[in-house]
Structures are given as structure tokens and as C-alpha cells.
Amino acid sequence: MTAARPTSPAPHRAPSEGARPGLRERKKIKTREAIRGATYALIEEQGYDATTIDQIADRAEVSPSTVFRYFPTKEDIVLTDEFEAVVLEEIRRRPAEEPWPDTLRYVLRHAVRAGLEEEDPCVSRLRTHLMAQVPAVRSRMMESMAATGRTLCRVIAERTGHSSDDLEVRVYAMSLIGGLMETGVYWAEHGHRDDPRDLVDRALDVLEHGLPGAGNR
């Protein structure tokens, strides 16, 4: 549940059965995972501020320039994951006649569930803890929201028939991104006790229906 800058979405086309990334792409994925793994391990050992790019490169067995080629800043290593790419692609796969709120709820729950199953729970908790506690990470996350928002606007426009530049689409997209960001921070601030899927549902309820009880005042 981050608002990290996503990679550019792939063109909308049905994936081939049994298709898998080529050798070059698999190497890139392996390198990204090695850099992330090294970063998380070092942060757990010595804290965020004490962890340097040189240390990360040494632990991941790559050069510092390679780290910067994949992640422009140390904050990006923490924030960037595959969540956004999964969400954007899944939205495009849903039936065109499905109501937009149903599409969004299904896709986000599916993405959160996949993330919980595929990612080390300690990593998920560490990332959201850093989002909540480290000003540099929080600041970078806010900066990256604009790029994520533009991509989401295009996907919403494809799905709903609106223009991606409509004010309503832009407001909705940024509200959604901000809501998901705060959901992750809330999860961390409350000791990761709640089920993230339930928190996503609560966030979507606010976007769909407004603040509970506000209509009675």
C-alpha cells in the first residue's frame, strides 16, 4: 500500500499462456530483489539513517552506480514495489460492464492478498514502519504521488470513458492514492494488528460513501 513511482505500464494486451520474462528481464528482477533485500537487512541491523548506498551495493554485490540505475534514491528502494503494476494491470483485465467501485474493491483486495502471500511479512511491516516514522521516506512518497496519479488517471479514463485530464478524474485518482498511503501508515502506527484487506475496504468505503456520520450533522 504504497504510493511509490510505478514503472511505465505495459500496453493493454492479453498475456500469452505460459509467457515468462526473458533472460534480460529476469536478470533485472533478480538485481532489483537483491538490492531491496540488502537494503531491508541493513536497515534492520543498523537503522535507516546509518544505511548507505555503498553498504547496500556491497551487500547486494553490485556497484553503487547499479543501485542508482535501478533506484534514484535510497527512499525509492524502500518505497518501490510491484503493487502499483499489479493494480493497474488487474484493472484493465476486469469486465468493462462491471461497476467501477466493484472493480476497484476487487482489484485492491486481490493485490493486497497477493502481496501478503508473496512478500515476507517482516518486509511489509518494515516498509510501512519507515513510511510512518522516517521523514525522508514520507517526503519522497509524497513527491512520487504525482507520477503515480498521472498513470492512474489514464487507467481510470480507459475504464470509465472519462478524459484523463478531467478534474473529477484527477481528484479521484489523487484521493485514492492518498487514501492508500494513509492506510499503510495507519497500519504501521497501530502495530500492524489489523488485516490490511479490511483497512483497504474501510478506505474505499470513505471514498465511495464519504465520512461516516457526516451527513447527520
Side-chain angles (χ1 to χ4, degrees), residues 1 83 105-106 108-113 116 179-180 182-184 186-187 192-207:
M1 290 177 288
F83 183 85
R105 195 174 296 269
Y106 172 87
L108 288 176
R109 284 187 64 90
H110 173 78
V112 171
R113 183 177 68 249
L116 291 173
L180 292 176
E182 284 304 313
T183 299
Y186 178 94
W187 188 44
H192 300 103
R193 293 188 299 269
D194 300 281
D195 186 325
R197 290 164 294 190
D198 293 337
L199 295 181
V200 167
D201 274 338
R202 288 173 60 186
L204 291 177
D205 284 342
V206 174
L207 286 175

Tab-separated table of all heavy atoms in Angstrom, residues 1 83 105-106 108-113 116 179-180 182-184 186-187 192-207:
chain	number	residue	atom	x	y	z
A	1	MET	N	0.838	-1.200	0.000
A	1	MET	CA	0.000	0.000	0.000
A	1	MET	C	0.868	1.244	0.000
A	1	MET	O	0.817	2.077	0.885
A	1	MET	CB	-0.899	-0.023	1.220
A	1	MET	CG	-1.967	-1.079	1.124
A	1	MET	SD	-2.978	-1.156	2.592
A	1	MET	CE	-1.835	-1.873	3.743
A	83	PHE	N	3.290	-3.377	-6.339
A	83	PHE	CA	1.869	-3.218	-6.031
A	83	PHE	C	1.139	-2.430	-7.114
A	83	PHE	O	0.085	-2.836	-7.591
A	83	PHE	CB	1.740	-2.524	-4.676
A	83	PHE	CG	0.326	-2.351	-4.199
A	83	PHE	CD1	-0.309	-3.374	-3.529
A	83	PHE	CD2	-0.363	-1.171	-4.408
A	83	PHE	CE1	-1.605	-3.229	-3.072
A	83	PHE	CE2	-1.661	-1.008	-3.957
A	83	PHE	CZ	-2.276	-2.046	-3.285
A	105	ARG	N	-12.564	-2.339	-5.705
A	105	ARG	CA	-12.509	-3.113	-4.461
A	105	ARG	C	-11.927	-4.505	-4.712
A	105	ARG	O	-11.087	-4.989	-3.949
A	105	ARG	CB	-13.910	-3.221	-3.845
A	105	ARG	CG	-13.899	-3.697	-2.388
A	105	ARG	CD	-15.313	-3.636	-1.812
A	105	ARG	NE	-15.817	-2.283	-1.762
A	105	ARG	CZ	-15.686	-1.466	-0.717
A	105	ARG	NH1	-15.041	-1.883	0.351
A	105	ARG	NH2	-16.198	-0.255	-0.743
A	106	TYR	N	-12.372	-5.139	-5.806
A	106	TYR	CA	-11.858	-6.473	-6.120
A	106	TYR	C	-10.352	-6.428	-6.377
A	106	TYR	O	-9.580	-7.241	-5.842
A	106	TYR	CB	-12.578	-7.039	-7.348
A	106	TYR	CG	-11.965	-8.337	-7.837
A	106	TYR	CD1	-12.374	-9.560	-7.311
A	106	TYR	CD2	-10.956	-8.330	-8.803
A	106	TYR	CE1	-11.794	-10.751	-7.737
A	106	TYR	CE2	-10.369	-9.507	-9.230
A	106	TYR	CZ	-10.792	-10.713	-8.703
A	106	TYR	OH	-10.204	-11.882	-9.125
A	108	LEU	N	-8.013	-4.165	-5.573
A	108	LEU	CA	-7.166	-3.800	-4.446
A	108	LEU	C	-7.076	-4.924	-3.419
A	108	LEU	O	-5.999	-5.194	-2.878
A	108	LEU	CB	-7.670	-2.514	-3.797
A	108	LEU	CG	-7.434	-1.242	-4.617
A	108	LEU	CD1	-8.053	-0.036	-3.929
A	108	LEU	CD2	-5.949	-1.014	-4.859
A	109	ARG	N	-8.185	-5.590	-3.153
A	109	ARG	CA	-8.136	-6.726	-2.225
A	109	ARG	C	-7.259	-7.838	-2.795
A	109	ARG	O	-6.487	-8.480	-2.071
A	109	ARG	CB	-9.538	-7.239	-1.931
A	109	ARG	CG	-10.334	-6.358	-0.975
A	109	ARG	CD	-11.651	-7.019	-0.583
A	109	ARG	NE	-11.442	-8.247	0.158
A	109	ARG	CZ	-11.338	-8.309	1.487
A	109	ARG	NH1	-11.402	-7.196	2.212
A	109	ARG	NH2	-11.166	-9.461	2.089
A	110	HIS	N	-7.383	-8.071	-4.101
A	110	HIS	CA	-6.566	-9.097	-4.749
A	110	HIS	C	-5.081	-8.738	-4.650
A	110	HIS	O	-4.240	-9.594	-4.346
A	110	HIS	CB	-6.971	-9.230	-6.215
A	110	HIS	CG	-6.087	-10.142	-7.016
A	110	HIS	ND1	-6.189	-11.516	-6.947
A	110	HIS	CD2	-5.073	-9.874	-7.888
A	110	HIS	CE1	-5.272	-12.060	-7.745
A	110	HIS	NE2	-4.596	-11.085	-8.324
A	111	ALA	N	-4.738	-7.472	-4.896
A	111	ALA	CA	-3.347	-7.043	-4.856
A	111	ALA	C	-2.780	-7.137	-3.440
A	111	ALA	O	-1.639	-7.570	-3.248
A	111	ALA	CB	-3.225	-5.617	-5.385
A	112	VAL	N	-3.573	-6.725	-2.451
A	112	VAL	CA	-3.102	-6.806	-1.062
A	112	VAL	C	-2.910	-8.260	-0.660
A	112	VAL	O	-1.905	-8.622	-0.029
A	112	VAL	CB	-4.087	-6.097	-0.115
A	112	VAL	CG1	-3.715	-6.364	1.341
A	112	VAL	CG2	-4.099	-4.599	-0.382
A	113	ARG	N	-3.857	-9.111	-1.027
A	113	ARG	CA	-3.729	-10.533	-0.695
A	113	ARG	C	-2.479	-11.133	-1.340
A	113	ARG	O	-1.719	-11.866	-0.691
A	113	ARG	CB	-4.961	-11.309	-1.152
A	113	ARG	CG	-4.908	-12.792	-0.759
A	113	ARG	CD	-6.164	-13.543	-1.162
A	113	ARG	NE	-6.276	-13.661	-2.610
A	113	ARG	CZ	-7.188	-13.030	-3.336
A	113	ARG	NH1	-8.061	-12.217	-2.759
A	113	ARG	NH2	-7.239	-13.194	-4.639
A	116	LEU	N	0.596	-9.991	0.520
A	116	LEU	CA	0.761	-10.666	1.805
A	116	LEU	C	1.282	-12.087	1.619
A	116	LEU	O	2.041	-12.600	2.448
A	116	LEU	CB	-0.571	-10.695	2.556
A	116	LEU	CG	-1.088	-9.349	3.058
A	116	LEU	CD1	-2.494	-9.500	3.630
A	116	LEU	CD2	-0.151	-8.760	4.104
A	179	GLY	N	-5.387	8.014	0.003
A	179	GLY	CA	-6.069	7.117	0.930
A	179	GLY	C	-5.297	5.835	1.163
A	179	GLY	O	-5.186	5.354	2.306
A	180	LEU	N	-4.739	5.264	0.101
A	180	LEU	CA	-3.952	4.040	0.248
A	180	LEU	C	-2.661	4.307	1.021
A	180	LEU	O	-2.226	3.478	1.833
A	180	LEU	CB	-3.638	3.462	-1.129
A	180	LEU	CG	-4.837	2.923	-1.906
A	180	LEU	CD1	-4.409	2.459	-3.294
A	180	LEU	CD2	-5.511	1.771	-1.159
A	182	GLU	N	-2.225	6.610	3.357
A	182	GLU	CA	-2.574	6.751	4.763
A	182	GLU	C	-3.002	5.424	5.377
A	182	GLU	O	-2.816	5.194	6.573
A	182	GLU	CB	-3.679	7.787	4.926
A	182	GLU	CG	-3.187	9.214	4.800
A	182	GLU	CD	-2.070	9.525	5.780
A	182	GLU	OE1	-2.197	9.194	6.977
A	182	GLU	OE2	-1.060	10.095	5.342
A	183	THR	N	-3.563	4.536	4.574
A	183	THR	CA	-3.923	3.210	5.077
A	183	THR	C	-2.679	2.459	5.527
A	183	THR	O	-2.664	1.816	6.589
A	183	THR	CB	-4.661	2.407	3.988
A	183	THR	OG1	-5.867	3.093	3.641
A	183	THR	CG2	-5.013	1.006	4.473
A	184	GLY	N	-1.613	2.531	4.710
A	184	GLY	CA	-0.370	1.884	5.098
A	184	GLY	C	0.224	2.489	6.354
A	184	GLY	O	0.712	1.778	7.243
A	186	TYR	N	-1.416	4.114	8.707
A	186	TYR	CA	-2.301	3.745	9.822
A	186	TYR	C	-1.987	2.335	10.314
A	186	TYR	O	-1.927	2.077	11.525
A	186	TYR	CB	-3.753	3.836	9.363
A	186	TYR	CG	-4.777	3.442	10.405
A	186	TYR	CD1	-5.372	4.393	11.222
A	186	TYR	CD2	-5.169	2.107	10.571
A	186	TYR	CE1	-6.316	4.040	12.174
A	186	TYR	CE2	-6.107	1.741	11.518
A	186	TYR	CZ	-6.670	2.706	12.322
A	186	TYR	OH	-7.603	2.350	13.264
A	187	TRP	N	-1.799	1.419	9.375
A	187	TRP	CA	-1.481	0.032	9.716
A	187	TRP	C	-0.223	-0.029	10.582
A	187	TRP	O	-0.183	-0.742	11.597
A	187	TRP	CB	-1.297	-0.765	8.426
A	187	TRP	CG	-1.149	-2.242	8.594
A	187	TRP	CD1	-1.881	-3.055	9.402
A	187	TRP	CD2	-0.218	-3.098	7.919
A	187	TRP	NE1	-1.475	-4.363	9.269
A	187	TRP	CE2	-0.456	-4.412	8.373
A	187	TRP	CE3	0.776	-2.867	6.969
A	187	TRP	CZ2	0.284	-5.511	7.899
A	187	TRP	CZ3	1.513	-3.952	6.501
A	187	TRP	CH2	1.268	-5.248	6.967
A	192	HIS	N	0.441	-2.879	13.249
A	192	HIS	CA	0.170	-3.923	12.243
A	192	HIS	C	-0.789	-4.988	12.760
A	192	HIS	O	-0.709	-6.153	12.381
A	192	HIS	CB	1.490	-4.586	11.799
A	192	HIS	CG	2.465	-3.628	11.189
A	192	HIS	ND1	3.559	-3.137	11.873
A	192	HIS	CD2	2.514	-3.057	9.959
A	192	HIS	CE1	4.250	-2.324	11.096
A	192	HIS	NE2	3.633	-2.242	9.926
A	193	ARG	N	-1.703	-4.560	13.623
A	193	ARG	CA	-2.647	-5.528	14.193
A	193	ARG	C	-3.775	-5.882	13.236
A	193	ARG	O	-4.276	-7.006	13.253
A	193	ARG	CB	-3.243	-4.964	15.497
A	193	ARG	CG	-2.238	-4.823	16.629
A	193	ARG	CD	-2.951	-4.461	17.927
A	193	ARG	NE	-3.667	-3.190	17.809
A	193	ARG	CZ	-3.151	-2.016	18.101
A	193	ARG	NH1	-1.891	-1.925	18.508
A	193	ARG	NH2	-3.862	-0.911	18.003
A	194	ASP	N	-4.204	-4.914	12.437
A	194	ASP	CA	-5.376	-5.125	11.581
A	194	ASP	C	-5.010	-5.903	10.322
A	194	ASP	O	-3.856	-5.943	9.892
A	194	ASP	CB	-5.976	-3.781	11.173
A	194	ASP	CG	-6.415	-2.961	12.371
A	194	ASP	OD1	-7.486	-3.249	12.908
A	194	ASP	OD2	-5.672	-2.029	12.748
A	195	ASP	N	-6.039	-6.517	9.728
A	195	ASP	CA	-5.867	-7.149	8.426
A	195	ASP	C	-5.844	-6.034	7.373
A	195	ASP	O	-6.803	-5.260	7.276
A	195	ASP	CB	-7.036	-8.106	8.152
A	195	ASP	CG	-6.849	-8.921	6.879
A	195	ASP	OD1	-6.274	-8.384	5.900
A	195	ASP	OD2	-7.285	-10.075	6.847
A	196	PRO	N	-4.775	-5.911	6.580
A	196	PRO	CA	-4.694	-4.828	5.590
A	196	PRO	C	-5.862	-4.823	4.618
A	196	PRO	O	-6.270	-3.762	4.141
A	196	PRO	CB	-3.371	-5.108	4.865
A	196	PRO	CG	-2.567	-5.898	5.825
A	196	PRO	CD	-3.553	-6.730	6.593
A	197	ARG	N	-6.419	-5.988	4.304
A	197	ARG	CA	-7.556	-6.035	3.386
A	197	ARG	C	-8.766	-5.330	3.981
A	197	ARG	O	-9.514	-4.650	3.282
A	197	ARG	CB	-7.879	-7.484	3.040
A	197	ARG	CG	-6.829	-8.158	2.168
A	197	ARG	CD	-6.963	-9.648	2.150
A	197	ARG	NE	-6.677	-10.230	3.461
A	197	ARG	CZ	-6.528	-11.525	3.676
A	197	ARG	NH1	-6.627	-12.379	2.674
A	197	ARG	NH2	-6.264	-11.991	4.881
A	198	ASP	N	-8.965	-5.493	5.291
A	198	ASP	CA	-10.075	-4.807	5.949
A	198	ASP	C	-9.849	-3.291	5.960
A	198	ASP	O	-10.797	-2.510	5.803
A	198	ASP	CB	-10.237	-5.324	7.387
A	198	ASP	CG	-10.680	-6.776	7.435
A	198	ASP	OD1	-11.269	-7.254	6.434
A	198	ASP	OD2	-10.429	-7.436	8.463
A	199	LEU	N	-8.602	-2.880	6.148
A	199	LEU	CA	-8.300	-1.450	6.137
A	199	LEU	C	-8.530	-0.852	4.758
A	199	LEU	O	-9.035	0.267	4.634
A	199	LEU	CB	-6.851	-1.220	6.572
A	199	LEU	CG	-6.504	-1.606	8.016
A	199	LEU	CD1	-5.046	-1.298	8.307
A	199	LEU	CD2	-7.408	-0.888	9.018
A	200	VAL	N	-8.174	-1.589	3.714
A	200	VAL	CA	-8.437	-1.120	2.345
A	200	VAL	C	-9.928	-0.975	2.117
A	200	VAL	O	-10.392	0.006	1.519
A	200	VAL	CB	-7.807	-2.074	1.311
A	200	VAL	CG1	-8.337	-1.778	-0.098
A	200	VAL	CG2	-6.294	-1.940	1.322
A	201	ASP	N	-10.714	-1.933	2.591
A	201	ASP	CA	-12.170	-1.835	2.465
A	201	ASP	C	-12.694	-0.575	3.149
A	201	ASP	O	-13.561	0.125	2.616
A	201	ASP	CB	-12.842	-3.069	3.080
A	201	ASP	CG	-12.950	-4.224	2.099
A	201	ASP	OD1	-12.907	-3.976	0.879
A	201	ASP	OD2	-13.076	-5.371	2.554
A	202	ARG	N	-12.185	-0.290	4.340
A	202	ARG	CA	-12.624	0.905	5.064
A	202	ARG	C	-12.269	2.167	4.301
A	202	ARG	O	-13.066	3.110	4.222
A	202	ARG	CB	-12.004	0.918	6.458
A	202	ARG	CG	-12.580	-0.105	7.420
A	202	ARG	CD	-11.802	-0.161	8.724
A	202	ARG	NE	-11.804	1.131	9.418
A	202	ARG	CZ	-11.094	1.367	10.523
A	202	ARG	NH1	-10.325	0.407	11.033
A	202	ARG	NH2	-11.143	2.543	11.098
A	203	ALA	N	-11.066	2.194	3.718
A	203	ALA	CA	-10.650	3.361	2.946
A	203	ALA	C	-11.546	3.548	1.726
A	203	ALA	O	-11.950	4.679	1.398
A	203	ALA	CB	-9.190	3.199	2.515
A	204	LEU	N	-11.870	2.457	1.045
A	204	LEU	CA	-12.729	2.548	-0.137
A	204	LEU	C	-14.147	2.962	0.235
A	204	LEU	O	-14.823	3.652	-0.530
A	204	LEU	CB	-12.740	1.209	-0.873
A	204	LEU	CG	-11.418	0.819	-1.547
A	204	LEU	CD1	-11.537	-0.562	-2.178
A	204	LEU	CD2	-11.007	1.855	-2.581
A	205	ASP	N	-14.612	2.541	1.416
A	205	ASP	CA	-15.938	2.958	1.878
A	205	ASP	C	-15.999	4.474	2.017
A	205	ASP	O	-17.009	5.107	1.678
A	205	ASP	CB	-16.259	2.302	3.231
A	205	ASP	CG	-16.642	0.835	3.089
A	205	ASP	OD1	-16.987	0.412	1.961
A	205	ASP	OD2	-16.591	0.114	4.102
A	206	VAL	N	-14.915	5.076	2.524
A	206	VAL	CA	-14.883	6.540	2.679
A	206	VAL	C	-14.922	7.203	1.306
A	206	VAL	O	-15.660	8.180	1.094
A	206	VAL	CB	-13.625	6.973	3.458
A	206	VAL	CG1	-13.518	8.503	3.477
A	206	VAL	CG2	-13.671	6.442	4.883
A	207	LEU	N	-14.148	6.694	0.351
A	207	LEU	CA	-14.141	7.281	-0.990
A	207	LEU	C	-15.500	7.147	-1.670
A	207	LEU	O	-15.937	8.032	-2.402
A	207	LEU	CB	-13.066	6.608	-1.852
A	207	LEU	CG	-11.616	6.978	-1.550
A	207	LEU	CD1	-10.671	6.135	-2.398
A	207	LEU	CD2	-11.376	8.456	-1.814
